[in-house]
């Protein structure tokens, strides 16, 4: 069965572990079906899977992009870490241009890279966590290890392909 495709950046193991620990601590357990992730595209059509695989592999032949967690941000009913990476933004722009006619409005809109660590909570709880995290926050460099494509079927994502930056070689993605 075909399903929409999600594209995400993959963190290095230490950063993935740290972000996923944050998510495990703060995300409502009954809604936390994914590991920490940085989504580039929310909904690409299944018809482009082969071309997408090749484009992700080609993009990953480049060195890993530099990325930093720069602040804590509000999602209204959740909290996230804002990610800044001009190189990853340019990469996303190239992919968006290649698939422009196929993008849904959410993926055509301005991209605000972030890692959600809490969602689907009352706004007061989200504000409280944001304040708590801001009090102890220090900007942090994070490793972007690769790119992955996933089938979205309503629950945990099903891996299609993942590629490592610096080589374009296949890699095992973290659980999603």
């Amino acid at each position: 069965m075909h399903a929409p495709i999600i594209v995400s950046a993959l963190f290095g193991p230490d950063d993935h572990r740290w972000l996923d620990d944050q998510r495990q601590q703060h995300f409502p357990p009954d809604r936390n079906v994914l590991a920490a992730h940085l989504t580039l595209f929310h909904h690409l059509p299944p018809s482009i899977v082969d071309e997408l695989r090749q484009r992700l592999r080609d993009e990953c032949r480049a060195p890993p992009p530099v990325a930093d967690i720069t602040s804590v941000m509000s999602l209204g009913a959740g909290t996230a870490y804002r990610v800044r990476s001009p190189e990853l933004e340019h990469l996303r722009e190239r992919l968006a241009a290649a698939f422009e006619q196929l993008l849904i409005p959410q993926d055509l809109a301005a991209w605000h890279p972030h890692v959600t660590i809490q969602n689907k909570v009352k706004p007061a709880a989200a504000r409280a966590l944001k304040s708590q995290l801001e009090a102890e926050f220090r900007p942090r460099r994070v490793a972007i290890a690769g790119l992955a494509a996933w089938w979205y079927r309503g629950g945990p994502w099903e891996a299609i392909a993942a590629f490592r930056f610096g080589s374009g070689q296949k890699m095992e993605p973290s659980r999603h």
Side-chain angles (χ1 to χ4, degrees):
M1 176 176 98
H2 290 297
I5 299 170
I6 296 170
V7 176
S8 70
L10 300 174
F11 294 103
D14 292 340
D15 294 315
H16 178 81
R17 193 173 311 106
W18 176 73
L19 289 164
D20 205 44
D21 286 348
Q22 294 283 310
R23 191 173 167 97
Q24 294 296 323
Q25 288 176 30
H26 304 297
F27 215 95
D30 59 320
R31 296 177 184 260
N32 193 17
V33 299
L34 301 174
H37 57 278
L38 175 58
T39 303
L40 277 70
F41 295 96
H42 296 87
H43 189 284
L44 295 173
S47 60
I48 66 163
V49 68
D50 293 333
E51 181 182 355
L52 178 63
R53 241 190 228 111
Q54 188 59 51
R55 286 184 184 273
L56 295 182
R57 178 181 289 119
D58 291 347
E59 290 288 353
C60 284
R61 289 190 172 108
V66 174
D68 295 291
I69 293 178
T70 59
S71 62
V72 180
M73 66 185 277
S74 171
L75 299 175
T79 307
Y81 288 117
R82 187 180 319 274
V83 176
R84 172 134 168 73
S85 175
E87 294 161 305
L88 197 56
E89 290 172 31
H90 292 306
L91 182 155
R92 187 188 181 281
E93 288 170 4
R94 287 190 298 274
L95 292 172
F99 299 120
E100 184 175 18
Q101 299 301 316
L102 305 171
L103 299 181
I104 63 170
Q106 183 179 18
D107 288 332
L108 283 168
W111 186 49
H112 302 286
H114 65 278
V115 180
T116 303
I117 59 165
Q118 177 198 56
N119 208 1
K120 313 287 189 209
V121 299
K122 294 186 183 211
R127 284 191 300 273
L129 178 61
K130 182 177 182 283
S131 293
Q132 173 193 333
L133 293 176
E134 284 176 330
E136 58 196 46
F137 181 77
R138 301 289 177 271
R140 175 185 178 131
R141 171 95 4 120
V142 290
I144 304 293
L147 298 173
W150 311 86
W151 296 118
Y152 175 71
R153 301 187 200 280
W157 302 346
E158 179 186 329
I160 297 171
F163 303 97
R164 183 176 312 283
F165 275 109
S167 68
Q169 296 297 309
K170 288 185 177 180
M171 67 183 286
E172 286 298 316
S174 305
R175 77 170 170 84
H176 280 74

